[in-house]
Amino acid sequence: MHVVATGGHVDHGKSTLVLALTGMDPDRFEEEKRRGLTIDLGFAWTTLPSGRGVAFVDVPGHVRFIKNMLAGVGGVDACLFVVAATEGWKPQSEEHLRILELLGIRHGVVALTKVGLVDEDDVELARLDVLDHVVGTFLDGAEVVPVDAPTGVGVAAVRLALDRLLDATPAAVDRDRPRLWVDRSFAAKGSGTVVTGTLTGGAFAVDDELVVLPAARQVRVRALQSLHESHQRVGPGHRLAVNLTGVHHDDIVRGDALVRPHQWHSTAMLDATLEVLAGLDHDVTRRGAYAAYIGAGEHPVRVRVLAGHSRIAPGARGLVRLHLPTSLPLLPGDRYVLRESGRSETVGGGEILDVAPVLPATKARPDRSVDRVIAERGWVEASELARLTGEPRDATIGRWVVAPATFNAAATRLRGAVVDAARLGLDVATLDDRDRAVLDALDDVVVAGGRARLVDDDRDPLADHPFVAAVAAAWFTPPSPGDLGVDRAELRELVRRGLVVEQDGVWFAPAAVDQAARMVARLLRDRPDGVTVAEVRDALGTSRKHALPLLALLDGSGVTRRRGDRRVAGPRLPAV
Ligand SMILES: Nc1nc2c(ncn2[C@@H]2O[C@H](COP(=O)(O)OP(=O)(O)OP(=O)(O)O)[C@@H](O)[C@H]2O)c(=O)[nH]1
Ligand SMILES: [Mg+2]
């Protein structure tokens, strides 16, 4: 099953074509039928020659109802783009195409309608007109099918073209994180509240406990229908009607989201890219009455241009922070369209990058990197990180994912405290959860009787040597022996006893080398094709001067192997 939206200028024959393809009139309202004009979204479906089902979301072409068009095209997989051969390319042909592009739709077929009203030369001219306008867009190279819906000419060809299109359109992905942007909410006789939308990201099942956002209303799924058939469970990529208990239909409006509880970060502030349409005749600045179209909703937003700029020129792409009046369940990768409400023009749109920015607008440089999210927070619980990025990562310390630099700083500080506490030991009760988790991760520290001590404390009198303590405390950036006035004979003795490890004139604590091995192993798990010295240096929060001998030690012990300018897993890579 795929969901396909129509698109194109008013009166070009979208609804008529959907009716010819499905036998269902997508214009549901008396006023629509009377005026011969689509006002709100229409829905229809059919089975294509291959046997594949397809659902259509029929959108209005009139510029006054562009808000309704935007509500319909959110979760769709592909587009049936309609251009009338009688008129050729018109303003909302252009605007709809731009909107579909900005929303990331990548698959489409063009129906050249009303060919019965013009001669063959005009059809050819209209076809060339279309080809001209779609250059460089997702419709570049799309099939253009001549059709005259009332007489049936070309309708079978459109059905075949849709089959070919959907053959090449990937099925909706299932990330077990379902979200339904509500496009209608109404009362169905005898069963109460029903909401409809295009389901993406995962499945809903009967009896699921869900939540309606932004109101945070708890609801339960009483029944599910897709294309008028009841189901126990419906997966992503379907048109869906959800019968809900626990809510009145007036308390849910178009643009609300239906999701599982605790799976989403709800946000009223987000960072995003903004691609400004090349055809706009002015720069985009913070001044203006903007509306963002996200999911099926329209939301007034404040726009702030990031990265040290105050404006974005037509045709350019920049970074913006958007402030919404309500919180929505969003994830990086979600797309939006930005319009100027005053001038009623589409100014651009883009991709959401960060749903919970922590840096002030003057400092924020958002991108899609999960490592950036971790680095900006230092500590983040693994479950929270999944909500913020949509990408699950294992906790590295306790229940947290910790930025390497943050971990190193905490490890150094705690080692210092343990060293200072000497034989008495550091009282763990005085530490918070995070510090305790760091202590647990340190191999050279043992906790006994509520006190933390260095492991080697009792064994070797030389373990109390100031150079050993300094090297252990400094972790991946150890001091040089000269700085502490250690002579060569002492050094040789410390190395012989295994209290420090020497490589290329740098001395490390053995625990630091072990910890480096684990951290490199963790890096390699995410990047099995290898890591560079610079990546290891950054992950360990150290300098190249120290990263090089550390890697030489890891190569020597078989933890890593060199391959060109990268390190890959060696035979003795620790399991992480
Ligand atoms: N001869 C001919 N007439 C058509 C064709 N397609 C649509 N029409 C007529 O054009 C008029 C508008 O068609 P609609 O299907 O309502 O156009 P639309 O694109 O859905 O319009 P909006 O939804 O308002 O944007 C109707 O009177 C149709 O009968 C076609 O292929 N051939
Ligand atoms: Mg219509």
Side-chain angles (χ1 to χ4, degrees):
M1 171 59 63
H2 278 101
V3 182
V4 173
T6 60
H9 197 71
V10 62
D11 229 22
H12 276 201
K14 296 177 290 298
S15 303
T16 306
L17 182 56
V18 168
L19 172 61
L21 290 167
T22 65
M24 302 166 78
D25 187 354
D27 285 338
R28 296 171 287 141
F29 300 106
E30 192 276 326
E31 186 187 354
E32 293 181 317
K33 293 189 201 296
R34 184 162 41 80
R35 294 170 65 184
L37 178 84
T38 304
I39 296 169
D40 205 353
L41 301 173
F43 307 95
W45 52 91
T46 187
T47 306
L48 294 175
S50 64
R52 165 197 288 122
V54 58
F56 293 96
V57 177
D58 181 42
V59 308
H62 197 290
V63 64
R64 277 214 355 250
F65 310 124
I66 195 112
K67 164 181 173 180
N68 295 340
M69 178 270 178
L70 278 152
V73 292
V76 306
D77 305 307
C79 154
L80 173 59
F81 202 81
V82 169
V83 181
T86 46
E87 292 194 323
W89 200 260
K90 299 285 277 183
Q92 269 62 54
S93 316
E94 184 65 23
E95 187 167 26
H96 282 200
L97 177 59
R98 293 299 148 199
I99 285 170
L100 294 165
E101 280 266 303
L102 290 168
L103 291 176
I105 289 158
R106 290 288 164 264
H107 306 273
V109 54
V110 180
L112 198 57
T113 56
K114 307 198 183 185
V115 297
L117 299 177
V118 294
D119 63 27
E120 262 174 43
D121 286 351
D122 289 334
V123 172
E124 187 52 22
L125 283 178
R127 203 177 68 84
L128 294 173
D129 188 29
V130 169
L131 294 185
D132 245 16
H133 281 99
V134 302
V135 169
T137 74
F138 75 97
L139 288 179
D140 201 343
E143 286 191 60
V144 179
V145 187
V147 60
D148 196 70
T151 57
V153 170
V155 173
V158 172
R159 293 169 65 81
L160 289 169
L162 282 167
D163 245 340
R164 281 189 293 272
L165 170 71
L166 297 182
D167 266 341
T169 303
V173 280
D174 191 339
R175 298 196 172 84
D176 202 27
R177 192 181 282 110
R179 182 176 56 186
L180 182 113
W181 293 109
V182 173
D183 49 39
R184 277 181 304 166
S185 172
F186 53 90
K189 251 204 196 96
S191 48
T193 300
V194 174
V195 299
T196 68
T198 305
L199 180 63
T200 56
F204 281 159
V206 171
D207 286 336
D208 274 357
E209 305 279 346
L210 303 176
V211 57
V212 180
L213 296 171
R217 214 175 284 280
Q218 293 179 22
V219 294
R220 194 176 61 80
V221 176
R222 180 194 283 169
L224 290 172
Q225 277 198 348
S226 188
L227 316 185
H228 285 181
E229 278 180 28
S230 293
H231 298 274
Q232 281 300 306
R233 184 176 181 282
V234 175
H238 288 82
R239 283 297 305 171
L240 189 59
V242 190
N243 181 196
L244 296 172
T245 59
V247 64
H248 190 269
H249 67 91
D250 281 341
D251 291 334
I252 305 188
V253 294
R254 174 173 284 178
D256 283 358
L258 192 59
V259 294
R260 290 190 194 142
H262 315 303
Q263 240 190 355
W264 294 81
H265 179 81
S266 235
T267 185
M269 176 171 88
L270 56 94
D271 288 351
T273 62
L274 175 61
E275 292 164 40
V276 177
L277 293 184
L280 204 71
D281 62 5
H282 55 90
D283 289 355
V284 173
T285 66
R286 64 192 305 173
R287 256 193 280 274
Y290 294 106
Y293 295 80
I294 304 176
E298 176 191 52
H299 307 274
V301 284
R302 280 189 293 122
V303 175
R304 168 107 191 239
V305 181
L306 301 177
H309 299 285
S310 59
R311 52 185 61 243
I312 307 174
R317 161 203 278 250
L319 296 169
V320 290
R321 178 160 293 176
L322 302 183
H323 295 268
L324 304 167
T326 50
S327 292
L328 296 174
L330 297 172
L331 265 186
D334 283 339
R335 316 276 316 192
Y336 75 102
V337 169
L338 192 69
R339 299 191 87 240
E340 228 282 359
S341 326
R343 309 184 206 221
S344 186
E345 64 186 0
T346 300
V347 303
E351 182 185 33
I352 293 174
L353 301 174
D354 195 329
V355 297
V358 291
L359 297 180
T362 47
K363 296 225 174 78
R365 296 289 184 278
D367 58 26
R368 282 289 300 275
S369 151
V370 177
D371 287 323
R372 176 190 58 81
V373 174
I374 299 166
E376 285 178 1
R377 283 174 168 70
W379 292 79
V380 53
E381 285 188 25
S383 55
E384 169 82 352
L385 186 65
R387 277 196 296 277
L388 294 176
T389 64
E391 287 184 32
R393 286 234 182 146
D394 293 340
T396 51
I397 304 291
R399 62 180 185 276
W400 293 274
V401 179
V402 187
T406 305
F407 174 80
N408 288 339
T412 304
R413 172 172 51 77
L414 285 165
R415 255 204 197 82
V418 171
V419 169
D420 285 348
R423 283 177 203 287
L424 189 61
L426 179 67
D427 184 359
V428 209
T430 61
L431 303 176
D432 65 16
D433 277 7
R434 295 175 176 190
D435 280 355
R436 263 181 250 172
V438 171
L439 268 192
D440 280 347
L442 300 181
D443 281 353
D444 56 340
V445 172
V446 278
V447 179
R451 297 201 164 256
R453 296 178 182 80
L454 286 184
V455 169
D456 283 337
D457 250 357
D458 293 329
R459 286 191 219 139
D460 193 327
L462 272 184
D464 281 334
H465 192 283
F467 184 63
V468 173
V471 162
W475 213 217
F476 300 131
T477 49
S480 80
D483 296 346
L484 284 99
V486 187
D487 70 37
R488 294 172 65 110
E490 264 179 299
L491 259 184
R492 257 201 309 280
E493 190 53 28
L494 293 177
V495 172
R496 197 182 65 76
R497 291 172 184 238
L499 294 168
V500 292
V501 182
E502 190 270 343
Q503 178 72 40
D504 304 325
V506 184
W507 285 262
F508 296 96
V513 179
D514 290 346
Q515 179 65 9
R518 276 191 299 276
M519 292 176 74
V520 169
R522 228 171 268 140
L523 274 183
L524 284 171
R525 185 184 51 185
D526 296 334
R527 260 165 285 171
D529 54 351
V531 291
T532 63
V533 173
E535 285 167 333
V536 170
R537 177 199 64 201
D538 291 348
L540 302 184
T542 183
S543 62
R544 185 176 169 81
K545 176 183 139 200
H546 292 109
L548 281 173
L550 267 174
L551 278 170
L553 284 167
L554 299 186
D555 290 342
S557 61
V559 169
T560 50
R561 273 190 298 128
R562 278 190 86 133
R563 185 189 288 163
D565 60 350
R566 301 182 156 257
R567 291 305 199 290
V568 296
R572 301 187 52 198
L573 188 77
V576 283

